[in-house]
Amino acid sequence: MGSANSPAIACRIGNSFLRQLREQSSTFRGKAVENTWRAALAGEAVDPALGYGRVEIGEDHGSPVALIWGMVDDFMIHAPTKAKCFQAFSEFMDHTVRLGFICQKVKTSPPAQVQKFCGMIYDTGGHPCIRIPDAKVSRAIATLDFVERQNLRNRLSRLTVSVMSGLLQSLVDGTPQRQG
């Protein structure tokens, strides 16, 4: 049995919260369109500007819907235009207030092309990429230095190696082509 503060409970609440938001807001709801070469071969209209794959077109019949991801207590909103992103962000914040959730101002950032989500920096300006924050890089280097010194003194424990490998593995998504 988990406590009320467990990640599993938070994920369940977060998923219910997002499902309810999508049902109530047309900004997050749309009709799925297949935008692939297979659709083009079948004679359907394909718009290269929308990207490739399954795209949900909003009820405004022109642009894709706003997307939202949640990971425990981190949420990220992505939309095709700045105006739609601000609208989605506003609807998200209104929904949190209606449900009694508190979004701390210092942990909330308005729509921008560079955002921190789950400890990584997502940059969609220019060539989209995920970057590792400088503080995480410093911590990883310091941990590696510590492990090397412990190894030279023959004082390296399995627990130390486990902690180090977990820390480094958490940074894999931010490395080029996820090489880690």
Side-chain angles (χ1 to χ4, degrees):
M1 180 157 162
S3 72
N5 292 326
S6 77
I9 302 261
C11 286
R12 237 181 247 148
I13 290 170
N15 286 335
S16 298
F17 167 81
L18 294 180
R19 188 173 29 259
Q20 190 177 46
L21 176 63
R22 287 182 187 115
E23 289 171 0
Q24 293 177 1
S25 170
S26 63
T27 307
F28 295 98
R29 193 176 55 242
K31 180 184 173 213
V33 174
E34 188 178 345
N35 202 46
T36 63
W37 61 269
R38 185 175 59 213
L41 289 174
E44 297 173 25
V46 174
D47 183 0
L50 292 177
Y52 181 83
R54 181 180 176 270
V55 181
E56 281 192 66
I57 301 297
E59 294 176 359
D60 56 5
H61 303 293
S63 64
V65 298
L67 302 174
I68 187 165
W69 294 273
M71 179 58 70
V72 185
D73 64 349
D74 276 7
F75 295 93
M76 178 177 254
I77 298 171
H78 173 76
T81 64
K82 193 172 185 177
K84 197 167 205 173
C85 196
F86 271 103
Q87 178 184 354
F89 181 67
S90 178
E91 290 178 14
F92 171 82
M93 295 303 286
D94 291 346
H95 190 62
T96 61
V97 170
R98 278 193 303 272
L99 295 176
F101 293 136
I102 298 169
C103 294
Q104 298 176 19
K105 187 174 181 171
V106 296
K107 291 188 167 193
T108 306
S109 56
Q113 288 187 315
V114 177
Q115 291 289 346
K116 190 172 183 182
F117 177 63
C118 292
M120 297 295 208
I121 298 171
Y122 288 73
D123 187 351
T124 61
H127 182 71
C129 64
I130 301 173
R131 292 193 316 263
I132 303 170
D134 292 340
K136 285 186 181 275
V137 172
S138 287
R139 180 176 174 212
I141 291 170
T143 303
L144 285 169
D145 184 49
F146 173 78
V147 168
E148 285 176 352
R149 282 185 278 122
Q150 293 301 314
N151 191 36
L152 289 174
R153 297 179 191 146
N154 292 324
R155 294 175 48 196
L156 192 59
S157 70
R158 282 180 260 185
L159 177 61
T160 303
V161 173
S162 174
V163 169
M164 178 206 56
S165 63
L167 170 67
L168 295 177
Q169 188 64 37
S170 73
L171 303 177
V172 168
D173 287 343
T175 61
Q177 297 162 347
R178 298 178 187 226
Q179 294 174 14

